Amino acid sequence: MIEDIIVGDSLHLLHLGGMKKLLSMYKDGNMYLQKWTPITLQELNEILAYTKLPVEIHRQMRSLNYLCHWKGTELASFLNYVGIAILKPFLSTEHYEHFLSLFCANTICSSDHYKAFIPVAKTLFENYVKNYKKFFKCITSNTHNLIHVAEEVERFGPLPKNSSYPFENHLYQLKNMVRSGRLPLNQIINRIHEKELLAQKTKPLIFKFPLVVVPFKHDCTKFSCIVIRDGFTLKANHFADKWFLTNDFKVASINFATNNHSVYGSQLKYTYKVFEKPLPSDYINVYCTKTIDKFEPEVEYKLENIFCKLVAVTVRSETTFVPLVHSLP
């Protein structure tokens, strides 16, 4: 019975829990860690301000001055995509490697694609908790529970499938159904009944993917945007939405799409690993480059040749590419 109760809820355990606690200690310090200076905080806030996330991520990053007000999705974006690029210049090597243990373990546990690495994730979570005690001299129950996450992912599936995000979002919808403090339950039931009646009268919109949209003005056979599937959109004219990984693990950028659902794009000439410890970054398809403007000649990609979408984060002339979790095969 105890083992069947999931503690590995990413919203409360990893995002509002572990990631927020780490960022708070980096920002404000404690008796074992020096806090970031005002100059460092200013630079970090400037980087966060011009960091644009893909269209699938609905909430953009805010300044660290508002860290106490960050939502779970903002902390999720920081842990999943932004943190490994932004923290690298501002943390010592040992603290950055400590964060990488959390990042790599979280990435492995967030998708079925990395299922073979779950034993590695278990070791990484254990090392993270052990070093957390070494660096900060205390362990909370929230931090301790991280050592059970990999086992639960192995039994119940990846973190997004066991997350409480859908329930939290629905609570907001229920709250909006209440107009006054009198008989709130009756109000909610009536609004739900009205929505069900309305749904029976209206036809739901059905989209067939892939879908090409926004043709170029000078050539209507070329399109600047293609929706490969629900939650996987590539846009040629948006820096945050134009990057993808090919099946041979090359970082590429879309130039345009065609009516036959082909994507024409160019590969970056030079990419390399972001880190070697706790495991090489290319194992989890994370790459970076310092030559963001140097490409190979344009080629055609069939949709089956596209592996996943990439999130690009630029810090001090180095751009880091991280797979968009729900676009992984």
Side-chain angles (χ1 to χ4, degrees), residues 14-275:
L14 284 159
H15 304 153
L16 292 174
M19 190 66 254
K20 190 170 187 177
K21 184 68 175 174
L22 264 186
L23 272 177
S24 297
M25 285 192 289
Y26 295 152
K27 175 178 174 283
D28 301 321
N30 65 10
M31 61 188 300
Y32 304 105
L33 179 68
Q34 186 176 3
K35 68 178 181 180
W36 280 328
T37 65
I39 294 174
T40 298
L41 272 176
Q42 183 181 350
E43 186 176 355
L44 279 162
N45 289 334
E46 288 172 359
I47 294 169
L48 287 170
Y50 69 67
T51 296
K52 300 302 176 187
L53 297 174
V55 66
E56 292 85 358
I57 301 173
H58 304 299
R59 193 182 289 273
Q60 298 295 319
M61 303 303 299
R62 282 187 289 176
S63 162
L64 284 169
N65 295 333
Y66 303 102
L67 178 60
C68 60
H69 301 295
W70 276 22
K71 301 293 187 182
T73 49
E74 290 171 279
L75 292 157
S77 297
F78 194 93
L79 175 58
N80 293 337
Y81 312 113
V82 178
I84 64 160
I86 286 184
L87 293 179
K88 191 174 181 179
F90 301 104
L91 291 181
S92 64
T93 302
E94 58 180 8
H95 277 283
Y96 183 63
E97 288 181 358
H98 181 234
F99 170 76
L100 286 179
S101 296
L102 181 64
F103 166 77
C104 293
N106 173 71
T107 301
I108 291 168
C109 291
S110 294
S111 171
D112 275 330
H113 177 72
Y114 301 119
K115 189 182 291 186
F117 292 116
I118 286 179
V120 179
K122 185 176 181 182
T123 303
L124 291 175
F125 274 129
E126 288 172 353
N127 289 341
Y128 174 82
V129 173
K130 188 190 301 180
N131 288 324
Y132 190 98
K133 186 175 182 181
K134 172 186 168 185
F135 292 142
F136 306 115
K137 311 302 180 188
C138 66
I139 291 287
T140 62
S141 59
N142 195 289
T143 305
H144 166 80
N145 281 336
L146 291 173
I147 65 176
H148 302 298
V149 170
E151 296 171 3
E152 292 182 353
V153 168
E154 203 165 24
R155 293 185 64 205
F156 304 113
L159 288 170
K161 289 184 179 179
N162 304 316
S163 168
S164 62
Y165 275 104
F167 305 101
E168 296 281 348
N169 292 339
H170 193 64
L171 284 174
Y172 176 74
Q173 295 175 29
L174 294 178
K175 181 181 175 184
N176 284 346
M177 293 178 186
V178 178
R179 295 290 181 263
S180 70
R182 184 175 179 274
L183 302 175
L185 185 58
N186 295 26
Q187 294 181 57
I188 290 172
I189 291 169
N190 290 336
R191 297 298 85 75
I192 291 174
H193 181 60
E194 289 168 4
K195 284 191 173 184
E196 288 173 348
L197 292 176
L198 185 63
Q200 292 171 8
K201 296 178 182 178
T202 57
K203 277 189 174 182
L205 290 174
I206 300 173
F207 296 101
K208 292 183 178 179
F209 300 107
L211 179 68
V212 289
V213 290
V214 194
F216 288 124
K217 290 181 181 178
H218 63 278
D219 188 349
C220 61
T221 64
K222 297 179 180 179
F223 297 81
S224 66
C225 177
I226 179 170
V227 185
I228 296 174
R229 56 180 177 269
D230 189 24
F232 187 169
T233 303
L234 294 176
K235 295 183 179 181
N237 52 358
H238 288 76
F239 179 84
D241 291 295
K242 70 179 185 177
W243 302 100
F244 62 93
L245 194 66
T246 65
N247 275 347
D248 56 352
F249 306 115
K250 303 293 183 183
V251 178
S253 166
I254 180 177
N255 297 331
F256 63 89
T258 59
N259 270 322
N260 63 353
H261 302 142
S262 290
V263 171
Y264 284 80
S266 306
Q267 294 180 7
L268 279 175
K269 279 190 175 182
Y270 311 107
T271 58
Y272 49 92
K273 301 174 190 176
V274 183
F275 49 82

Side-chain angles (χ1 to χ4, degrees), residues 292-305:
I292 196 69
D293 56 344
K294 294 186 178 179
F295 293 93
E296 302 286 355
E298 182 180 88
V299 293
E300 178 186 5
Y301 296 98
K302 299 294 183 184
L303 296 190
E304 56 266 25
N305 302 130

